[in-house]
Amino acid sequence: MTKQDLIEIPKPLDQLTATEIERKSCIGKVMTYTLKSLTNTYVNKGFQWLLPVALSQSTDPLWPDPGASIEKRIEVDIYGKPVRTTASMIIHKLIAASTAYPKLFILSPNIRIEKAERAKTGRHLYEFTQLDFEAQGACSKDIFILVEEAIVTLIKDLKREMKSELTTLCRCDTLKVPKTPFKIYDRVELEAKYGKDWEAVITSEITDPVWVTNIPREFYDFEDFRTGKWDNYDLFLPQFGEVLSGAKREYEYTKILTKIERDQVKKENYSLILKMAKESRLKPTAGAGIGMERLVGWIAGVKHIAECQPFPRVPGNVNEL
Ligand code: AMP
Ligand code: MG
């Protein structure tokens, strides 16, 4: 039997026993506390809180990201125009941070119809929420400092104020305040040491959150064409794996165009960002998105992150609510 076989699919609310409802309620309180703490941190640092959108002509291509596994892309016509459900608000963030909202965050809905075989990874949902943020003029180091401070503040305060919930979840003693600065690894070194499966190896070996940099993926992450190095990063949590992806962003027209063509991404879906870049209206920014269900899943010590959702979104499992 594999580890995955032991993972149960979280049940909808109406099917929970009294004990399960108590546990669900504790996880819900940890989620509320986490949202309060993180949004406070960002607002206090001058970030503007934007409301999300669900339907747009342009959304994240999610390609070429080696971690993506999309079974279906949702596209519908409204008012005679094709729109897609939000895969992430990366394109919106880049335009917003370049114009009226230089520092911004959004609790953004992400709809990604993951392959049904991901039901029991415990880490994948077909609908989830990112705390997605972007800052004009920021570099990777600024983002590391901001995220580390946000997470340390959250865990410190949680351990003080949510003792009873953490006790019910058996996380009172095992959840430790991480030491800063978090360690930084280059993906090339990890690959050389552990091979293609480096993500799984570091996830099981680390005891504190760590950064991994230089990961080839979508066109909007910054790539140094001379060295081939990517100025981007993921944050990994012990036992849970990737909880955040982010980068310094591309903003120069020729680079964006070259990368879109190289990746064979449909240019017409990204005409606005190309136009803004061509007119030098796209500004240098950096940012990231934190998966809320994974972050809270780690804090609460769940087996499946759908336990953090009131209405579970497990790949391949559609409930009435
Ligand atoms: P990505 O844009 O794919 O790097 O996603 C950003 C963050 O969202 C990840 O680091 C995860 O925390 C979270 N995330 C991505 N895909 C999923 C998924 N299918 N289910 C739950 N969380 C996800
Ligand atoms: Mg990622």
Side-chain angles (χ1 to χ4, degrees):
M1 212 191 269
T2 69
K3 211 166 135 196
Q4 282 200 18
D5 295 330
L6 298 171
I7 294 181
E8 277 176 38
I9 305 282
K11 291 184 283 191
L13 287 175
D14 56 289
Q15 291 174 27
L16 300 179
T17 63
T19 325
E20 288 166 342
I21 286 178
E22 194 196 340
R23 182 178 158 79
K24 191 88 176 174
S25 164
C26 280
I27 300 171
K29 287 176 188 164
V30 172
M31 175 64 88
T32 299
Y33 194 94
T34 302
L35 289 167
K36 184 176 86 169
S37 171
L38 294 182
T39 54
N40 256 340
T41 298
Y42 283 86
V43 171
N44 289 340
K45 289 185 180 297
F47 283 73
Q48 294 191 71
W49 192 340
L50 272 56
L51 293 177
V53 292
L55 297 170
S56 313
Q57 284 188 270
S58 186
T59 193
D60 196 329
L62 298 178
W63 172 263
D65 180 343
S69 148
I70 302 298
E71 176 161 312
K72 180 179 184 161
R73 289 175 193 267
I74 303 177
E75 195 177 305
V76 288
D77 270 27
I78 57 169
Y79 311 116
K81 291 206 165 154
V83 289
R84 294 163 186 86
T85 48
T86 301
S88 92
M89 285 184 65
I90 179 67
I91 307 296
H92 302 74
K93 281 199 311 178
L94 299 186
I95 306 291
S98 296
T99 54
Y101 309 93
K103 287 168 83 177
L104 68 90
F105 72 94
I106 317 158
L107 286 165
S108 154
N110 284 215
I111 299 177
R112 303 185 186 177
I113 312 304
E114 299 271 0
K115 296 219 165 85
E117 68 217 30
R118 286 192 159 180
K120 287 195 161 197
T121 61
R123 308 287 171 265
H124 293 96
L125 306 166
Y126 66 82
E127 204 179 333
F128 61 95
T129 299
Q130 280 195 44
L131 194 160
D132 220 354
F133 63 95
E134 201 70 22
Q136 200 183 110
C139 64
S140 300
K141 181 97 189 293
D142 300 328
I143 304 299
F144 289 4
I145 293 169
L146 172 68
V147 169
E148 289 178 12
E149 190 188 320
I151 291 182
V152 167
T153 304
L154 163 67
I155 306 296
K156 249 191 206 154
D157 294 351
L158 245 175
K159 281 180 73 74
R160 203 180 50 242
E161 293 180 31
M162 303 288 283
K163 269 207 176 87
S164 115
E165 286 77 9
L166 290 177
T167 305
T168 305
L169 297 164
C170 304
R171 284 292 273 154
C172 215
D173 300 326
T174 53
L175 182 67
K176 306 270 187 243
V177 179
K179 290 179 221 62
T180 56
F182 299 170
K183 281 195 183 131
I184 306 170
Y185 296 103
D186 188 303
R187 185 256 327 159
V188 174
E189 287 161 25
L190 294 176
E191 234 170 49
K193 199 163 167 196
Y194 303 117
K196 287 271 169 249
D197 231 11
W198 61 267
E199 289 197 27
V201 180
I202 62 154
T203 298
S204 66
E205 285 195 353
I206 55 175
T207 50
D208 263 331
V210 301
W211 296 104
V212 178
T213 61
N214 187 20
I215 308 159
R217 53 188 178 212
E218 289 90 344
F219 71 83
Y220 44 74
D221 282 10
F222 190 93
E223 181 184 0
D224 185 329
F225 278 180
R226 282 175 306 113
T227 61
K229 260 192 115 160
W230 292 70
D231 191 351
N232 62 6
Y233 36 86
D234 277 0
L235 183 68
F236 281 78
L237 297 175
Q239 308 305 318
F240 260 78
E242 182 206 316
V243 70
L244 166 155
S245 285
K248 181 178 141 182
R249 311 297 180 184
E250 299 287 6
Y251 61 95
E252 285 175 32
Y253 175 70
T254 48
K255 283 189 81 186
I256 296 178
L257 183 64
T258 304
K259 292 172 81 180
I260 284 182
E261 287 177 346
R262 181 182 75 188
D263 296 348
Q264 297 179 310
V265 165
K266 278 190 188 155
K267 227 186 296 181
E268 62 271 25
N269 291 348
Y270 300 97
S271 50
L272 179 63
I273 198 167
L274 283 165
K275 181 172 181 288
M276 297 261 309
K278 198 170 192 174
E279 294 167 356
S280 302
R281 289 163 63 208
L282 204 60
K283 301 280 178 0
T285 66
I290 307 174
M292 288 308 302
E293 294 83 354
R294 285 195 194 169
L295 178 62
V296 172
W298 169 66
I299 295 170
V302 302
K303 288 219 162 59
H304 197 301
I305 60 171
E307 287 183 63
C308 304
Q309 296 185 298
F311 312 103
R313 263 53 188 151
V314 178
N317 289 257
V318 176
N319 302 313
E320 187 167 338
L321 298 182

